Amino acid sequence: MPGYSLENQVVLIAGGSQGLGKEFARRYYKESEKSTIIVVSRSRQKLHQAVRDITGTENTVELTTDAKPHDGRSRIMYMACDLSVYDEVEKLYNVLLAGTLVPTQVLMCAGGSHPGLFKDLTGAQLELGVRVNYLTCLNLAHVAVRRSPLCHLVFFSSETAFFPFIGYTQYAPLKQSIKSLVAILRQECQYQRISCVYPGNFKSEGYELENETKPTITQAIEGSSHPISCEKCCTRIIRSLSAGYDDVITDFIGWVLMSTDMGLNKQSTRSFAWFAQWLLGILANLVIIPIYMLICAFQIRQWHQNRSKN
Ligand SMILES: NC(=O)C1=CN([C@@H]2O[C@H](COP(=O)(O)OP(=O)(O)OC[C@H]3O[C@@H](n4cnc5c(N)ncnc54)[C@H](OP(=O)(O)O)[C@@H]3O)[C@@H](O)[C@H]2O)C=CC1
Ligand SMILES: CCCCCCCCCCCCCCCC(=O)[C@@H](N)CO
C-alpha cells in the first residue's frame, strides 16, 4: 500500500476555504516544494481569501472552465464548485485534467452540522445535511475513482459515526454512511489507498457555528471530546496517515469509540494499536457500554423532563 507524503503531490482539497481543509492546504503549501494544491468549495470569495491567507500574496489563481493549461506558475489554485451537484464535479475534473492536474490525493473535508432536535429542523436544513455531508463525498469519490483511479482517497467522517446521539440527526447518519461507503470501496478499489478520518471536536468556523444551535444535552454527551486546535487536529491526521493508518482518530475518546466498532464495518486493521483496540472493544461492548448507555438514557430523560418544565 503506498505511503502518505505532502511532497510531490497534486492534492485536491474539498472544503478548503476554511477550517481543517484550509489548514491542510496551508500545510501542503508550506511543507512541500513541488506539490500542487487545488482548493474547492462553493464560495469563490472565501476561496480567494483562503489562498491569500496561505500565500500572503494578492494575486491568486482561479481555475475556470476556460482555464489555460497549468503553466506551473502557481502551486496553489482554487475553483468554486458545489460538490453536492454531480455535474459540477464532472466539470471540475474536466478543468483539472485539461490542465494536466491529475489528483494524486483527494481530501474530502467538506461537511458540517446543524445540531438540533429532529422535529425542530426544517426540510431545507435536513436536505442540506445530506448534500453537504454525504453527496459532496459520494460525487467526488465517484468521479475520482473513474478519472484518477490511482489517487489516495481520504474521507472525513466523525466520532458520531461510532456513536450517533441526540441533536445530530442532520449529521451523524450521513457520517455513518461515509463509514459504510469506505468499507465497500476498500473491497472494490483494490489498487487505491482509501483512508477515513473520524475526528473528535476541533475548533473551526464550522464548530463555532454549530455551537450556536447545539442543545445542551448534545454538548454534555460530547463533552469528553475536548475541542483541539485545527492545527493540532491536522498534525495528528498527517502523522497517522504517514504511519500507514487508514482508520484515523484525533483524540483518545475517538480511539475508544472506534474500539467498540471493530466488526464487519471496519475491515481494516490499520489503526493505532489496533490489537489493544480490539481487546478493549470486547470488554467495552460486554461491560462498559451497557452501563454507559443506562447513564446516557437517564441523562437524556432528565433533559427532556427539565425542558418540558421550562
Ligand atoms: N469541527 C469539528 O469539530 C468536526 C468536524 N468534522 C468534519 O471535518 C470536516 C471539516 O470540518 P470543519 O473544518 O469544521 O468544516 P467547516 O464547516 O469549517 O468548513 C466546511 C467546508 O466545506 C465547504 N463546503 C460545504 N458544503 C460544500 C459543498 N456543497 N461543496 C463544496 N464545499 C462545501 C465549506 O466551504 P463553502 O461554504 O465555501 O462551500 C467549507 O470550506 C467536515 O467534514 C466535518 O464534518 C468531524 C468531526 C468534528
Ligand atoms: C466505551 C463507551 C464510552 C462512551 C463515551 C461516549 C463519549 C461520546 C463522545 C462523542 C464525541 C463526539 C464528537 C463529535 C464531533 C463532531 O462531529 C461534531 N463537532 C460535528 O462537527
Side-chain angles (χ1 to χ4, degrees), residues 59-79:
N59 57 331
T60 59
V61 176
E62 179 181 7
L63 283 172
T64 57
T65 42
D66 56 0
K68 298 168 195 57
H70 170 47
D71 63 8
R73 258 200 332 257
S74 168
R75 285 188 45 227
I76 182 167
M77 294 164 278
Y78 66 88
M79 183 165 172

Side-chain angles (χ1 to χ4, degrees), residues 111-115 133 157-161 163 165 168 171 175 199-202 204 206-207 210-211 214 218 220-226 251 253-254 256-257 259-260 280 284-285 288-290 292-293 296:
S113 73
H114 184 102
N133 290 300
S157 179
S158 154
E159 287 177 2
T160 58
F163 174 40
F165 52 90
Y168 276 129
Y171 178 76
K175 290 304 191 177
N201 285 318
F202 61 88
S204 66
Y207 181 71
E210 72 179 46
N211 281 337
K214 199 175 285 179
T218 309
I221 293 173
E222 73 174 25
S224 52
S225 176
H226 303 292
D251 60 19
I253 195 65
V256 171
L257 289 171
S259 80
T260 69
L280 172 68
N285 280 311
I288 306 169
I289 286 177
Y292 172 75
M293 289 312 277
C296 195

Side-chain angles (χ1 to χ4, degrees), residues 116-303:
L117 293 189
F118 186 60
K119 61 179 174 49
D120 298 338
L121 294 170
T122 66
Q125 286 163 341
L126 292 173
E127 181 183 342
L128 195 63
V130 176
R131 303 189 75 82
V132 167
N133 290 300
Y134 189 62
L135 278 181
T136 52
C137 305
L138 187 72
N139 294 342
L140 186 49
H142 189 250
V143 174
V145 297
R146 288 153 71 99
R147 303 182 70 181
S148 51
L150 296 177
C151 73
H152 178 182
L153 293 177
V154 185
F155 290 83
F156 287 77
S157 179
S158 154
E159 287 177 2
T160 58
F162 302 120
F163 174 40
F165 52 90
I166 184 169
Y168 276 129
T169 50
Q170 180 261 10
Y171 178 76
L174 293 318
K175 290 304 191 177
Q176 278 196 334
S177 303
I178 290 175
K179 180 152 68 85
S180 172
L181 176 66
V182 163
I184 298 170
L185 287 182
R186 281 177 177 156
Q187 293 176 336
E188 293 191 9
C189 306
Q190 294 284 319
Y191 303 108
Q192 248 171 307
R193 186 171 174 189
I194 296 171
S195 308
C196 192
V197 183
Y198 299 91
N201 285 318
F202 61 88
K203 294 170 194 149
S204 66
E205 292 88 333
Y207 181 71
E208 300 310 321
L209 188 65
E210 72 179 46
N211 281 337
E212 289 173 14
T213 64
K214 199 175 285 179
T216 50
I217 183 66
T218 309
Q219 293 191 17
I221 293 173
E222 73 174 25
S224 52
S225 176
H226 303 292
I228 58 178
S229 68
C230 227
E231 294 75 13
K232 187 177 280 187
C233 187
C234 188
T235 299
R236 290 180 180 176
I237 295 166
I238 289 172
R239 192 183 305 140
S240 287
L241 291 173
S242 305
Y245 299 128
D246 278 325
D247 290 313
V248 176
I249 42 89
T250 60
D251 60 19
F252 174 67
I253 195 65
W255 188 84
V256 171
L257 289 171
M258 186 186 281
S259 80
T260 69
D261 188 26
M262 301 283 279
L264 291 172
N265 251 320
K266 196 162 179 312
Q267 294 178 19
S268 150
T269 57
R270 286 190 289 274
S271 58
F272 176 73
W274 71 271
F275 191 68
Q277 217 175 7
W278 185 65
L279 292 175
L280 172 68
I282 294 169
L283 174 71
N285 280 311
L286 277 177
V287 179
I288 306 169
I289 286 177
I291 297 167
Y292 172 75
M293 289 312 277
L294 285 172
I295 296 167
C296 195
F298 176 74
Q299 268 184 316
I300 291 171
R301 207 166 33 252
Q302 287 292 92
W303 181 80

